[in-house]
Amino acid sequence: MAQLWGGRFTKETDQLVYQFNASISFDKRFYAQDIRGSIAHVMMLARQGILTDGEKEKIVEGLEGILSDVENGRLEITDQYEDIHSFVEATLIDRIGEPGKKLHTGRSRNDQVALDMKLYARDEVHILNQLVKELLEAILAVMEEHVDTYMPGFTHLQKAQPVTLAHHMGAYFEMFSRDHERLNDIYRRMDTCPLGSGALAGTTYPLDRDYTAGLLGFNGPTRNSMDGVSDRDYLLEILSALSIMMMHLSRFSEEVIIWNSNEYQFVEIDDAYSTGSSIMPQKKNPDIAELVRGKTGRVYGALQALLVAMKGIPLAYNKDMQEDKEWSFDAVDTAKGCLALFTGMLRTMHFKKERMEESAKHGFTNATDAADYLVNRGVAFRDAHGIVGRLVLLCIEKDVALDELPLEEYRKISPVFEEDIYEAISMAACVNKRITAGAPGRAAMEAEIAACRKYLGEY
Ligand code: ARG
């Protein structure tokens, strides 16, 4: 057991209490952020004349040595320390002696951990945004290739009207681009540095908080020291944004699972991204998509857990807040893993163009267009709706698609139909007449794709 405190204690900490209290098993993951924060703090202390330049140099050199030794495996972070802050400080004192004892001047673990967590979260937001970008690029690649791949658009999971695969994918592009925007918004709001908040009430040392904030790349220091040490809103915001993003990934996964089913066969997941069954030799299962759908629950759970943990905490720091870490780490790791795997699955997925188009035709997705055909020739929409309804019924009886029904059958139901009905209800015509902004028609789709390209160019 190695602790930073103990002066006012007359007894050793109970072993179970020590273990219950310790966080090193999980907070060791932000050793680099902890050291980065300490270096900035020490630079500022020397600049303010609180430490000598000689002390500063020894401390910075010591901290850099610890960083590189941990990184290349020469120094192991062991559970014998209470938390990562204790580990770094104790190791520093071990290595450089007296000056190491001055590292913690004008600082508390409360503002230290608040800083470390923010630095960690900022780093992760960058990585998450990069992964979202890669997913958006994979989606855009499918869009560009499938402007003419017709497929049924669904409502209530019933075939509704024809769309294209490009259009369907475009909807996901929108969702994930909003996820990116949300992460950026959060980043902007969390861009304040808590270092210098002290335990809760600032310090009596003449710290220069603007300087440390600048060194660490923040927009400025936090405005209120009590808030500085006890704000975890940015984690809640990240967990909320990740929950929404996972919901998007989960919906997409659900579609891949449906599309990959024997009944649909719209797609084939690449062998590298599917798994087999131990008993049924014919099986090729969409496990990755299923796992992404399943893991969404973990991220929602993390958000819920942190919301509940925070709701009863009086100002300022309380140990409950240590619980922010494992949930945040798990949610961020889960989201990163899901993004990377989903992107890989999408990039390698084979889309079955003919099968999708057949499905659109046999689902009467062109029925609205057949009614519009009549309307354009003077039939009232309500009557046209009834006429096409009877045609659909006839097609169902004969087990044919609308474009397979002979013209005389059409004319028996309404003499308004002419030979050009077949052209009017072709998938290409149905889709390409829809050119209002945001619609699947080629002209609208090309504008949408150009906008998506531009978006990624400015990402
Ligand atoms: N491990 C603690 C946490 O994660 C560090 C802060 C400890 N502060 C304290 N006053 N005990 O929150």
Side-chain angles (χ1 to χ4, degrees), residues 5 21-24 26-27 30 82-85 108-110 113 232 317-325:
W5 42 271
N21 199 44
S23 54
I24 188 129
F26 47 87
D27 65 19
F30 52 50
E82 184 186 346
D83 53 32
I84 189 63
H85 327 295
S108 156
R109 272 188 299 168
N110 296 351
V113 77
R232 298 294 183 271
Y317 178 84
N318 291 256
K319 197 63 175 259
D320 321 37
M321 290 176 183
Q322 178 166 290
E323 289 290 299
D324 62 358
K325 288 171 198 66

Side-chain angles (χ1 to χ4, degrees), residues 128-130 132-133 136 176 180 454-459:
L128 282 160
N129 262 335
Q130 190 49 38
V132 173
K133 184 178 190 199
L136 286 169
F176 292 110
H180 167 60
K454 183 158 177 279
Y455 180 84
L456 283 180
E458 293 162 1
Y459 197 85

